[in-house]
Short mmCIF file of all heavy atoms in Angstrom, two decimals:
data_model
loop_
_atom_site.label_atom_id
_atom_site.label_comp_id
_atom_site.label_asym_id
_atom_site.label_seq_id
_atom_site.Cartn_x
_atom_site.Cartn_y
_atom_site.Cartn_z
N ARG A 25 0.66 8.67 10.47
CA ARG A 25 0.43 9.49 9.32
C ARG A 25 0.05 8.68 8.06
O ARG A 25 -0.21 9.27 7.01
CB ARG A 25 1.65 10.34 9.00
CG ARG A 25 2.03 11.31 10.13
CD ARG A 25 3.07 12.30 9.67
NE ARG A 25 4.33 11.65 9.29
CZ ARG A 25 5.33 11.39 10.11
NH1 ARG A 25 5.22 11.74 11.38
NH2 ARG A 25 6.43 10.80 9.68
N THR A 26 0.06 7.37 8.15
CA THR A 26 -0.23 6.54 6.99
C THR A 26 -1.72 6.54 6.69
O THR A 26 -2.56 6.53 7.61
CB THR A 26 0.25 5.07 7.23
OG1 THR A 26 1.68 5.10 7.53
CG2 THR A 26 0.00 4.23 6.01
N ASN A 27 -2.08 6.56 5.41
CA ASN A 27 -3.48 6.60 4.98
C ASN A 27 -4.18 5.26 5.30
O ASN A 27 -3.79 4.21 4.75
CB ASN A 27 -3.57 6.93 3.50
CG ASN A 27 -5.00 7.16 3.05
OD1 ASN A 27 -5.75 6.20 2.83
ND2 ASN A 27 -5.38 8.41 2.91
N PHE A 28 -5.22 5.33 6.08
CA PHE A 28 -5.98 4.14 6.48
C PHE A 28 -6.57 3.42 5.27
O PHE A 28 -6.49 2.21 5.16
CB PHE A 28 -7.08 4.55 7.46
CG PHE A 28 -8.03 3.43 7.83
CD1 PHE A 28 -7.77 2.63 8.93
CD2 PHE A 28 -9.19 3.22 7.09
CE1 PHE A 28 -8.65 1.60 9.30
CE2 PHE A 28 -10.09 2.18 7.44
CZ PHE A 28 -9.81 1.37 8.54
N TRP A 29 -7.20 4.19 4.36
CA TRP A 29 -7.90 3.57 3.24
C TRP A 29 -6.97 2.94 2.24
O TRP A 29 -7.29 1.92 1.66
CB TRP A 29 -8.79 4.64 2.57
CG TRP A 29 -9.80 5.19 3.55
CD1 TRP A 29 -9.83 6.43 4.07
CD2 TRP A 29 -10.90 4.49 4.11
NE1 TRP A 29 -10.89 6.58 4.95
CE2 TRP A 29 -11.55 5.42 5.00
CE3 TRP A 29 -11.42 3.18 4.02
CZ2 TRP A 29 -12.68 5.03 5.74
CZ3 TRP A 29 -12.52 2.84 4.76
CH2 TRP A 29 -13.15 3.75 5.61
N LEU A 30 -5.80 3.50 2.09
CA LEU A 30 -4.79 2.89 1.20
C LEU A 30 -4.38 1.52 1.71
O LEU A 30 -4.34 0.53 0.98
CB LEU A 30 -3.58 3.80 1.08
CG LEU A 30 -2.34 3.19 0.33
CD1 LEU A 30 -2.73 2.88 -1.11
CD2 LEU A 30 -1.18 4.13 0.41
N ILE A 31 -4.13 1.46 3.04
CA ILE A 31 -3.71 0.16 3.64
C ILE A 31 -4.88 -0.82 3.60
O ILE A 31 -4.68 -2.01 3.39
CB ILE A 31 -3.22 0.37 5.08
CG1 ILE A 31 -2.01 1.33 5.10
CG2 ILE A 31 -2.85 -0.95 5.70
CD1 ILE A 31 -0.85 0.84 4.24
N ALA A 32 -6.11 -0.34 3.80
CA ALA A 32 -7.27 -1.21 3.75
C ALA A 32 -7.41 -1.83 2.36
O ALA A 32 -7.70 -3.02 2.23
CB ALA A 32 -8.53 -0.42 4.12
N ILE A 33 -7.20 -1.04 1.33
CA ILE A 33 -7.32 -1.55 -0.04
C ILE A 33 -6.19 -2.59 -0.31
O ILE A 33 -6.42 -3.62 -0.89
CB ILE A 33 -7.23 -0.40 -1.07
CG1 ILE A 33 -8.51 0.46 -0.98
CG2 ILE A 33 -7.05 -0.92 -2.49
CD1 ILE A 33 -8.43 1.74 -1.76
N LEU A 34 -4.98 -2.27 0.14
CA LEU A 34 -3.86 -3.19 -0.04
C LEU A 34 -4.10 -4.52 0.71
O LEU A 34 -3.77 -5.58 0.21
CB LEU A 34 -2.57 -2.55 0.41
CG LEU A 34 -2.02 -1.43 -0.46
CD1 LEU A 34 -0.81 -0.74 0.20
CD2 LEU A 34 -1.62 -1.93 -1.84
N LEU A 35 -4.68 -4.39 1.88
CA LEU A 35 -5.00 -5.60 2.63
C LEU A 35 -6.03 -6.48 1.90
O LEU A 35 -5.88 -7.70 1.81
CB LEU A 35 -5.52 -5.24 4.05
CG LEU A 35 -6.01 -6.42 4.90
CD1 LEU A 35 -4.90 -7.43 5.15
CD2 LEU A 35 -6.57 -5.91 6.24
N LEU A 36 -7.06 -5.84 1.37
CA LEU A 36 -8.07 -6.57 0.64
C LEU A 36 -7.45 -7.29 -0.56
O LEU A 36 -7.75 -8.43 -0.87
CB LEU A 36 -9.20 -5.61 0.19
CG LEU A 36 -10.10 -5.08 1.29
CD1 LEU A 36 -11.07 -4.04 0.73
CD2 LEU A 36 -10.86 -6.20 1.98
N ILE A 37 -6.59 -6.60 -1.32
CA ILE A 37 -5.95 -7.20 -2.47
C ILE A 37 -5.06 -8.35 -2.05
O ILE A 37 -5.05 -9.42 -2.68
CB ILE A 37 -5.10 -6.13 -3.22
CG1 ILE A 37 -6.02 -5.06 -3.81
CG2 ILE A 37 -4.27 -6.78 -4.35
CD1 ILE A 37 -5.26 -3.88 -4.43
N SER A 38 -4.36 -8.17 -0.92
CA SER A 38 -3.44 -9.24 -0.45
C SER A 38 -4.16 -10.47 0.02
O SER A 38 -3.55 -11.52 0.21
CB SER A 38 -2.54 -8.68 0.66
OG SER A 38 -3.27 -8.49 1.87
N CYS A 39 -5.47 -10.37 0.26
CA CYS A 39 -6.24 -11.53 0.72
C CYS A 39 -6.81 -12.31 -0.44
O CYS A 39 -7.38 -13.42 -0.23
CB CYS A 39 -7.40 -11.08 1.65
SG CYS A 39 -6.85 -10.43 3.23
N HIS A 40 -6.70 -11.79 -1.65
CA HIS A 40 -7.26 -12.50 -2.83
C HIS A 40 -6.14 -13.20 -3.56
O HIS A 40 -5.05 -12.66 -3.71
CB HIS A 40 -7.96 -11.49 -3.74
CG HIS A 40 -8.89 -12.18 -4.71
ND1 HIS A 40 -8.46 -12.75 -5.86
CD2 HIS A 40 -10.24 -12.35 -4.67
CE1 HIS A 40 -9.48 -13.27 -6.53
NE2 HIS A 40 -10.59 -13.05 -5.81
N PRO A 41 -6.39 -14.43 -4.06
CA PRO A 41 -5.35 -15.14 -4.79
C PRO A 41 -4.73 -14.36 -5.96
O PRO A 41 -3.57 -14.50 -6.27
CB PRO A 41 -6.07 -16.41 -5.29
CG PRO A 41 -7.17 -16.61 -4.30
CD PRO A 41 -7.61 -15.21 -3.87
N SER A 42 -5.54 -13.51 -6.57
CA SER A 42 -5.01 -12.71 -7.68
C SER A 42 -4.12 -11.59 -7.22
O SER A 42 -3.52 -10.88 -8.06
CB SER A 42 -6.19 -12.11 -8.51
OG SER A 42 -6.96 -11.24 -7.70
N GLY A 43 -3.98 -11.40 -5.91
CA GLY A 43 -3.08 -10.38 -5.37
C GLY A 43 -1.62 -10.70 -5.56
O GLY A 43 -0.76 -9.83 -5.37
N GLY A 44 -1.31 -11.93 -5.94
CA GLY A 44 0.06 -12.31 -6.25
C GLY A 44 1.01 -12.08 -5.08
O GLY A 44 0.71 -12.44 -3.93
N PRO A 45 2.15 -11.44 -5.35
CA PRO A 45 3.18 -11.27 -4.30
C PRO A 45 2.67 -10.47 -3.09
O PRO A 45 3.23 -10.60 -2.02
CB PRO A 45 4.27 -10.46 -5.01
CG PRO A 45 4.09 -10.83 -6.46
CD PRO A 45 2.63 -10.99 -6.68
N LEU A 46 1.61 -9.67 -3.24
CA LEU A 46 1.10 -8.94 -2.11
C LEU A 46 0.60 -9.87 -1.02
O LEU A 46 0.45 -9.47 0.15
CB LEU A 46 -0.02 -7.97 -2.55
CG LEU A 46 0.39 -6.72 -3.30
CD1 LEU A 46 -0.86 -5.90 -3.68
CD2 LEU A 46 1.34 -5.88 -2.49
N ASN A 47 0.30 -11.11 -1.38
CA ASN A 47 -0.14 -12.08 -0.36
C ASN A 47 0.88 -12.31 0.74
O ASN A 47 0.53 -12.60 1.88
CB ASN A 47 -0.46 -13.45 -1.05
CG ASN A 47 -1.84 -13.48 -1.70
OD1 ASN A 47 -2.77 -13.95 -1.09
ND2 ASN A 47 -1.92 -12.98 -2.92
N TYR A 48 2.16 -12.16 0.37
CA TYR A 48 3.19 -12.33 1.37
C TYR A 48 3.21 -11.18 2.39
O TYR A 48 3.76 -11.32 3.48
CB TYR A 48 4.57 -12.45 0.70
CG TYR A 48 4.71 -13.65 -0.20
CD1 TYR A 48 4.88 -13.49 -1.59
CD2 TYR A 48 4.61 -14.93 0.30
CE1 TYR A 48 4.99 -14.58 -2.41
CE2 TYR A 48 4.72 -16.05 -0.52
CZ TYR A 48 4.91 -15.86 -1.90
OH TYR A 48 5.00 -16.98 -2.71
N LEU A 49 2.66 -10.03 1.97
CA LEU A 49 2.66 -8.85 2.83
C LEU A 49 1.34 -8.69 3.61
O LEU A 49 1.19 -7.73 4.35
CB LEU A 49 2.90 -7.58 2.01
CG LEU A 49 4.23 -7.54 1.25
CD1 LEU A 49 4.32 -6.29 0.40
CD2 LEU A 49 5.40 -7.60 2.22
N ARG A 50 0.44 -9.64 3.46
CA ARG A 50 -0.86 -9.59 4.15
C ARG A 50 -0.72 -9.37 5.65
O ARG A 50 -1.43 -8.52 6.22
CB ARG A 50 -1.66 -10.82 3.87
CG ARG A 50 -3.04 -10.85 4.49
CD ARG A 50 -3.84 -12.09 4.05
NE ARG A 50 -3.18 -13.34 4.46
CZ ARG A 50 -2.58 -14.18 3.60
NH1 ARG A 50 -2.56 -13.92 2.31
NH2 ARG A 50 -2.00 -15.28 4.05
N PRO A 51 0.18 -10.08 6.33
CA PRO A 51 0.30 -9.85 7.80
C PRO A 51 0.68 -8.42 8.15
O PRO A 51 0.20 -7.89 9.14
CB PRO A 51 1.40 -10.85 8.19
CG PRO A 51 1.41 -11.89 7.13
CD PRO A 51 1.08 -11.15 5.88
#
């Protein structure tokens, strides 16, 4: 039930150095 596009955007942010703490959640 999780939104695909929301997770895709979060993944993209987590791959960029400016994503900060989200980088730890990239996996």
